[in-house]
Amino acid sequence: MLFKARSAAVYGIDAHIIDVEVDYSGIKLDKEIFSTVGLPDAAVRESRDRVRSAIKNSGFDIPPTRITINLAPADLKKEGSGFDLPIAISILGAYGGLLKKDLSDFLLVGELGLDGSLRAVQGMLPIAVAARAQGIPNLIIPASNAREAAVVEGVNVYPVASLLEVRELLNSAALGAMKAAPLKVAASNLLNEMQHFPHDFKDVRGQHVAKRALEVAAAGGHNILMIGPPGSGKTMLAKRLPSILAPLRFEEALETTKIHSVAGVLDAEQGLVMHRPFRSPHHTISDAGLIGGGMIPRPGEVSLAHNGLLFLDELPEFPRNVLEVLRQPLEDGMVTISRAAMSLNFPARFMLAAAMNPCPCGYFNDKSRDCMCTPPMIQRYVSKVSGPLLDRIDIHIEVPAVQYKELRGGAAAEGSEQIRARVLEARKRQHRRFSQNGGQALPAKGSARPIFANAQMGTEQIRKHCELSPDAERLLERAMQQQGLSARAHDRILKVARTIADLEGADDIAVKHIAEAIQYRTLDRSYWS
């Protein structure tokens, strides 16, 4: 007897529909024989023991026969425990334990406990998206995964807790009336809920230049590097940066949630990533941990920070080989991981915020403390951050030590709410600039990815939206020649100047906007000369 069910396997951040076929011989044996084919990994092969116990402890008696399980297409590697549920249901169907004989309109995913209970699996959001794309209307999954999958409109999500509950649900479908109602989540409303942040810029005393630079960075999605002595507030500023970022758009939230779902770090109660991610890996992280990797690649920190913020504290303490792998995602917004069996792409369009001391002791150029480092020591320290990597960071600023009068001053500092209001107005101008008549963001030339911020502009958009007056042209030319800036730095100055103009509500880039943008490049290599 042959019985078929449908499931899914996740590769990268996308899922592929898998047909689960079960056939039993009908000849009773002394011992039950399970045979699983279709490139299963160890977790899939071990499912026979979980499935056998789950079926038995759910009250079903399966006579010992030869059972063959095929996972098609056979040329795709199958991994994970999510095939337990479709295998168990197919076995019940093959032995006549189901009233419903055709499960083509259902997709089943879930790990089974020995008692027949269902446990959550990773990557449920991509699976729900794949089900909708393939026209599969119903999704039966563990209850702890249900909220995550229900954010996808066009799919009926049925949360279940046990194998017995799944059987009853399918039997009720065969009788023409589903026993349970699908879970509904108003995903678009989740992003409109009040957002709360644990840190606020009103706690920051002084550092007006740094706060202004962070405002510009948040308004345009620019990468930023802060250089200053220990205790000057670099980490404090970075932790407050998420409180002034623009809220996630729904399409951004969906893509970000897919990555977190695949990586297994999604909050099951939340279901959807509602805030821009903030990732702050330790400097002992490996290149695979930062970029992603594994035999079957998984997303790393740069992908978990997609559409959010990646903060690298003590930048020179990271191994140089780890920092160098940042070049591709900073330039392309994408990470490509190639293995012998497959090549996968992970989105990695993030805003980089980095902090570093100017020298090993931290007091180079400090007015209150003497630096104890020799020039060779400073050179070795600084050379850990390569020129090409610095070139990809739009804004370089100095964060000096806060003076006592500023630290103890009674004047209230500007809070995140006021700064964020200006950032949102600038983002609205950018959205109108990069949108079609219907409001959909346009992709950059040569890319399928839409543009949401000035930092994501390509060469064509820079030429179109960053035209300069003759005076501004002369100022930029003089800065390029005197500071020896690269062509990449030239483009980044124009992007930052465009953002500064947007913050002022200006249509044209003025000389003062170019001048401020140039000042944000003064901490290049010449800073240590």
Side-chain angles (χ1 to χ4, degrees):
M1 177 69 177
L2 178 66
F3 197 90
K4 296 182 181 180
R6 306 181 86 176
S7 189
V10 178
Y11 300 92
I13 64 167
D14 297 313
H16 297 267
I17 303 301
I18 303 296
D19 291 325
V20 179
E21 302 174 334
V22 170
D23 180 71
Y24 79 98
S25 64
I27 301 175
K28 290 188 177 181
L29 304 174
D30 294 334
K31 183 179 179 182
E32 190 177 77
I33 300 176
F34 266 76
S35 177
T36 305
V37 296
L39 288 182
D41 73 343
V44 179
R45 290 194 298 270
E46 290 174 354
S47 67
R48 62 180 180 271
D49 298 317
R50 294 191 297 271
V51 168
R52 183 189 296 114
S53 296
I55 290 176
K56 177 182 177 182
N57 292 323
S58 296
F60 302 105
D61 185 21
I62 303 299
T65 59
R66 175 181 291 277
I67 298 175
T68 302
I69 302 164
N70 180 42
L71 305 177
D75 58 341
L76 287 178
K77 180 76 172 178
K78 318 300 186 308
E79 68 161 359
S81 55
F83 295 104
D84 289 4
L85 178 59
I87 289 174
I89 287 297
S90 296
I91 291 174
L92 291 178
Y95 281 96
L98 288 179
L99 297 178
K100 189 171 179 59
K101 305 303 181 183
D102 181 9
L103 298 185
S104 60
D105 54 347
F106 285 86
L107 190 143
L108 301 95
V109 181
E111 177 185 336
L112 284 172
L114 299 185
D115 59 351
S117 62
L118 277 174
R119 299 190 178 115
V121 298
Q122 297 177 6
M124 193 57 70
L125 181 61
I127 290 173
V129 173
R132 181 180 63 180
Q134 293 294 321
I136 303 174
N138 304 304
L139 188 60
I140 298 178
I141 58 175
S144 51
N145 283 130
R147 189 170 176 84
E148 170 189 347
V151 302
V152 180
E153 297 180 354
V155 178
N156 298 319
V157 176
Y158 295 95
V160 290
S162 67
L163 177 62
L164 191 59
E165 189 176 338
V166 176
R167 176 180 177 268
E168 293 175 355
L169 185 65
L170 292 174
N171 283 343
S172 67
L175 297 174
M178 294 290 286
K179 184 177 180 180
L183 178 66
K184 298 295 182 182
V185 174
S188 57
N189 293 336
L190 293 177
L191 298 178
N192 297 326
E193 295 178 359
M194 182 65 69
Q195 298 192 7
H196 300 280
F197 299 95
H199 306 291
D200 195 288
F201 270 101
K202 66 182 179 183
D203 303 324
V204 180
R205 299 289 181 173
Q207 302 297 7
H208 302 293
V209 174
K211 289 171 71 174
R212 166 64 177 177
L214 289 171
E215 180 181 338
V216 173
H222 302 288
N223 303 320
I224 185 169
L225 171 65
M226 296 176 284
I227 305 177
S232 60
K234 303 184 296 295
T235 304
M236 183 180 186
L237 288 164
K239 287 183 177 180
R240 283 152 179 78
L241 188 52
S243 67
I244 62 172
L245 295 177
L248 283 169
R249 297 180 181 276
F250 180 71
E251 55 267 33
E252 291 179 301
L254 199 62
E255 190 173 30
T256 304
T257 304
K258 286 174 67 175
I259 299 171
H260 286 234
S261 174
V262 169
V265 298
L266 182 65
D267 185 354
E269 294 297 325
Q270 190 171 335
L272 186 72
V273 175
M274 295 183 288
H275 296 84
R276 293 193 180 273
F278 178 82
R279 307 293 298 186
S280 181
H282 193 262
H283 59 76
T284 56
I285 192 172
S286 66
D287 52 356
L290 188 65
I291 295 298
M295 290 188 61
I296 296 183
R298 295 294 187 188
E301 289 292 329
V302 296
S303 294
L304 292 173
H306 180 62
N307 290 323
L309 180 66
L310 177 69
F311 176 51
L312 302 182
D313 202 2
E314 303 296 343
L315 188 65
E317 299 300 329
F318 286 79
R320 183 173 178 123
N321 67 299
V322 173
L323 293 180
E324 290 306 298
V325 297
L326 282 173
R327 291 192 194 182
Q328 182 198 2
L330 283 175
E331 197 70 24
D332 303 332
M334 184 73 68
V335 171
T336 301
I337 302 176
S338 298
R339 296 291 183 266
M342 65 183 67
S343 180
L344 297 176
N345 294 321
F346 292 108
R349 182 186 274 182
F350 57 90
M351 178 181 164
L352 174 66
M356 62 180 289
N357 297 330
C359 64
C361 78
Y363 296 105
F364 179 76
N365 271 354
D366 190 74
K367 296 178 181 179
S368 59
R369 301 276 300 266
D370 292 330
C371 176
M372 307 302 294
C373 304
T374 63
M377 291 170 60
I378 297 176
Q379 182 60 36
R380 284 195 298 271
Y381 180 78
V382 172
S383 64
K384 295 180 181 179
V385 184
S386 67
L389 180 59
L390 280 176
D391 244 6
R392 288 169 168 82
I393 300 177
D394 306 14
I395 299 175
H396 310 160
I397 57 166
E398 185 178 6
V399 184
V402 181
Q403 300 301 312
Y404 178 80
K405 289 184 179 180
E406 290 182 317
L407 192 62
R408 299 294 297 170
E414 188 177 34
S416 295
E417 186 177 352
Q418 292 80 14
I419 300 173
R420 182 172 179 167
R422 296 195 294 270
V423 169
L424 292 180
E425 285 301 317
R427 281 297 182 104
K428 288 178 182 178
R429 294 179 62 87
Q430 294 168 54
H431 181 67
R432 289 193 296 268
R433 181 182 302 128
F434 302 128
S435 297
Q436 300 173 345
N437 293 333
Q440 178 64 37
L442 287 168
K445 187 174 182 180
S447 171
R449 304 181 64 77
I451 301 174
F452 294 106
N454 287 333
Q456 300 163 1
M457 286 192 292
T459 304
E460 182 181 353
Q461 285 78 24
I462 292 175
R463 291 198 188 102
K464 181 179 180 181
H465 303 299
C466 299
E467 294 183 356
L468 302 180
S469 65
D471 289 342
E473 285 280 6
R474 284 192 292 271
L475 177 60
L476 180 56
E477 180 182 5
R478 186 162 62 248
M480 293 284 296
Q481 293 173 349
Q482 291 178 355
Q483 297 185 29
L485 300 176
S486 68
R488 184 182 287 114
H490 164 271
D491 288 350
R492 296 187 182 276
I493 287 174
L494 290 176
K495 292 178 184 180
V496 172
R498 179 67 268 172
T499 299
I500 296 170
D502 288 338
L503 282 168
E504 290 191 2
D507 294 328
D508 300 322
I509 298 176
V511 173
K512 61 179 180 179
H513 304 143
I514 287 289
E516 183 178 350
I518 291 171
Q519 290 301 311
Y520 294 141
R521 302 294 303 190
T522 56
L523 293 183
D524 231 324
R525 287 291 179 183
S526 59
Y527 173 77
W528 290 277
S529 300

